[in-house]
């Protein structure tokens, strides 16, 4: 087996959803802090705020769910697979925690989310160990109680969210990740668990994809509609923080609405990936390198913000976002044409493939997920695909960064 082959069973729609999250992320990071929603363009632009990040977190749960496939008690070799899954979860936490804290020290206005993933993965792993009926109950209870407790303690204003400046302040960092930060586990944990539940479904099934799209859209409409309707009934309701559904408010309706949007986007992405896999492959390439893209855009934003920011107006921001996304898509597609992983995605996979003697960042002989004709001078490679578990075991995981391990947004 060579390192230049890659999983042929990868679910492309999950990568497309990550690319959509990347697009939403840069819209938030490059554009006005408070877009003018009185225009159609401004309203559409504003929809990414607080939803792109929730999409990434939900996809993290999907990835963790796939890591734990085949680990149910009574399955052949379940104990070994469970150990391997937890080892991968631990390694992701080891990578994301310091990387996120280092990126947060850059001179950017971004509230970095990467170090929160250290806790998200643990939450997802614990959720993946539960039977489905218990997982549904825990997710539903957490969705109501967690955000309600948060609003009671801190309210809904972003100004009270903490960013611990000293990465060596263990207590401060832990407090931010769990309770007081911009993306605390207390309110964002339900998104991870919903992703774990979604990851247990057959995501290649066309009916499942439609259910995710339609069901997510219905729940999102109900959540946001209930918020608007209730707040319009009386002054008391309008002033109640518990009825707010605005992005990053941390309320139950905010969590339900944003997670439902994420599920709908995943359903749509899965449909696109199954209907037009070749046409959508440039988006797949971006999604497969999302961790690298996320880290790279923060570095550029810190060094040369004038290249990326369009704070003055939504129109300026649209131009900057479009230029960045087109260039990024071209670069990611060209990289994936020649190399089977992004640089930081390679880091996530390194311990598990290196022990098999693979070199996962070498130029590929053939990439089985590449949908276009391979140049004639490149010979065929082994047809064996890289999987998270041996060929005789349960279905493999879709990516080395499964959310699959690709960079989350911040906001």
């Amino acid at each position: 087996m060579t390192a230049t082959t890659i999983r042929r069973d990868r679910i492309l729609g999950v990568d497309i959803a990550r690319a959509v999250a990347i697009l939403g992320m840069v819209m938030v990071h490059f554009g006005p802090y408070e877009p003018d929603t009185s225009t159609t363009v401004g309203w559409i632009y504003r929809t990414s705020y607080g939803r792109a990040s929730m999409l990434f977190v939900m996809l993290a749960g999907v990835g963790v769910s796939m890591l734990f496939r085949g680990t149910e008690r009574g399955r052949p070799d379940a104990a070994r697979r469970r150990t391997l899954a937890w080892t991968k979860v631990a390694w992701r936490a080891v990578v994301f925690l310091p990387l996120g804290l280092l990126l947060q020290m850059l001179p950017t206005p971004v509230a970095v989310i990467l170090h929160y993933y250290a806790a998200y993965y643990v939450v997802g792993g614990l959720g993946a160990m539960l039977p489905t009926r218990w997982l549904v109950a825990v997710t539903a209870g957490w969705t109501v109680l967690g955000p309600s407790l948060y609003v009671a303690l801190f309210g809904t204003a972003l100004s009270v969210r903490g960013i611990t400046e000293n990465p060596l302040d263990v207590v401060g960092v832990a407090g931010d990740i769990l309770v007081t930060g911009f993306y605390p586990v207390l309110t964002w944990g339900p998104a991870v668990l919903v992703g774990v539940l979604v990851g247990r479904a057959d995501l290649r099934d066309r009916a499942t994809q439609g259910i995710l799209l339609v069901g997510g859209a219905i729940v999102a409409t109900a959540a946001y509609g209930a918020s608007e309707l209730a707040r319009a009934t009386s002054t008391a309701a309008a002033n109640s923080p518990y009825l707010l559904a605005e992005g990053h408010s941390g309320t139950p309706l905010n969590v339900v609405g944003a997670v439902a949007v994420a599920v709908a986007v995943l359903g749509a992405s899965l449909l696109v990936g199954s209907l037009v896999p070749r046409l959508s492959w440039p988006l797949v390439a971006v999604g497969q390198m999302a961790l690298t893209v996320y880290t790279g855009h923060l570095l550029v934003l810190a060094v040369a913000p004038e290249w990326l920011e369009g704070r003055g107006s939504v129109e300026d921001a649209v131009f900057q976002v479009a230029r960045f996304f087109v260039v990024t898509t071209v670069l990611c597609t060209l990289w994936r044409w020649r190399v089977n992983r992004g640089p930081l995605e390679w880091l996530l996979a390194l311990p598990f493939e290196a022990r098999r003697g693979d070199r996962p960042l070498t130029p590929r002989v053939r990439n089985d997920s590449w949908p276009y004709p391979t140049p004639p001078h490149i010979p065929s490679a082994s047809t064996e695909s890289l999987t998270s578990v041996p060929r005789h075991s349960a279905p493999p995981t879709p990516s080395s960064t499964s959310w699959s391990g690709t960079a989350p947004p911040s906001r």
Side-chain angles (χ1 to χ4, degrees), residues 143-157 160-161 179-180 184 186-187 239-244 249-252:
T143 301
V144 175
L145 298 178
S148 297
L149 178 60
Y150 181 86
V151 173
L153 292 174
F154 306 107
T156 61
V160 303
R161 310 292 170 88
V179 181
T180 60
L186 182 62
T187 55
N239 294 330
S240 173
Y242 295 96
L243 296 176
L244 189 65
S249 60
T251 67

Side-chain angles (χ1 to χ4, degrees), residues 197-210:
L197 284 168
V198 170
R200 292 182 176 182
D202 181 4
L203 299 183
R204 291 185 178 82
D205 178 64
R206 194 69 54 81
T208 299
Q209 296 167 359

